[in-house]
């Protein structure tokens, strides 16, 4: 998987971030939206986003919602609800804003296959199943997600995708 040292993820595209230092670079904790707020805003997006000089929206709660659903329901919900919401956000801001999903603990739950760059989400027990995020959210365009690095040689802080189609 390609690595990204640039800060473009803070201003554009969609990211899944699990590193607290990375999240703190784009927002204060009080600026984080709940997943419910995010889904209610679809089609009625604010003119000014709450973080990073109105360039970024950070959303928490995706991980908890996925944990409550069985794998089949989670896949359907991601494809039928979350992906259209991401597309709506992208369309509203014309690619000139960043959507960041805050996933504390995501470093142990998001798995990228080195050989294929396929990205999956490891469900909590009792399911213990993997959800194919790449297939559901970015249609297997596996060459596009990039690992976010905060410094050369550092651990991945999240994943970045410039535009989901």
């Amino acid at each position: 998987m390609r690595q990204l040292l640039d800060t473009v993820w803070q201003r554009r595209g969609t990211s899944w971030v699990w590193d607290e230092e990375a999240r703190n670079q784009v927002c204060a904790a009080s600026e984080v939206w709940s997943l419910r707020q995010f889904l209610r805003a679809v089609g009625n997006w604010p003119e000014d986003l709450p973080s990073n000089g109105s360039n970024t929206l950070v959303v928490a709660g995706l991980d908890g919602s996925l944990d409550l659903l069985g794998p089949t329901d989670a896949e359907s919900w991601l494809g039928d609800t979350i992906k259209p919401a991401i597309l709506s956000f992208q369309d509203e801001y014309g690619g000139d804003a960043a959507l960041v999903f805050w996933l504390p603990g995501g470093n142990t739950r998001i798995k990228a296959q080195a050989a294929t760059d396929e990205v999956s989400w490891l469900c909590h027990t009792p399911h213990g199943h993997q959800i194919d995020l790449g297939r559901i959210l970015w249609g297997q365009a596996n060459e596009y997600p990039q690992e976010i690095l905060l410094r050369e040689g550092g651990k991945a802080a999240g994943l970045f995708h410039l535009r989901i189609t």
Side-chain angles (χ1 to χ4, degrees), residues 3-163:
Q3 296 180 329
L4 178 70
L5 277 165
D6 194 304
T7 60
V8 65
W9 68 272
Q10 298 176 6
R11 300 176 306 281
R12 302 183 72 201
T14 303
S15 299
W16 295 265
V17 172
W18 50 79
D19 183 90
E20 190 171 2
E21 179 184 350
R23 191 214 58 214
N24 290 339
Q25 289 181 4
V26 294
C27 77
S30 63
E31 298 168 343
V32 176
W33 279 24
S34 70
L35 187 61
R36 178 176 285 175
Q37 286 175 287
F38 170 68
L39 293 174
R40 283 185 178 165
V42 173
N44 192 28
W45 298 105
E47 188 172 319
D48 295 321
L49 295 173
S51 302
N52 197 26
S54 292
N55 288 315
T56 307
L57 175 61
V58 179
V59 178
L62 181 63
D63 51 346
S65 296
L66 289 173
D67 286 344
L68 292 173
L69 299 169
T72 303
D73 291 337
E75 288 183 4
S76 295
W77 179 71
L78 281 171
D80 297 341
T81 303
I82 299 301
K83 183 174 181 177
I86 293 169
L87 295 174
S88 173
F89 180 91
Q90 287 180 167
D91 290 346
E92 177 69 22
Y93 299 103
D96 289 329
L99 174 60
V100 176
F101 288 98
W102 168 235
L103 302 169
N107 60 324
T108 61
R109 310 275 307 275
I110 291 183
K111 300 294 179 197
Q113 297 294 327
T116 62
D117 285 341
E118 291 177 10
V119 177
S120 60
W121 174 263
L122 180 61
C123 298
H124 261 307
T125 51
H127 308 299
H129 189 85
Q130 290 191 26
I131 298 170
D132 188 347
L133 292 179
R135 178 182 54 78
I136 298 166
L137 294 179
W138 53 82
Q140 292 295 69
N142 291 327
E143 67 274 9
Y144 296 117
Q146 300 172 59
E147 287 183 319
I148 299 168
L149 300 181
L150 301 182
R151 59 194 58 80
E152 188 74 44
K155 291 181 181 179
L159 292 178
F160 167 73
H161 204 296
L162 183 60
R163 183 158 182 87

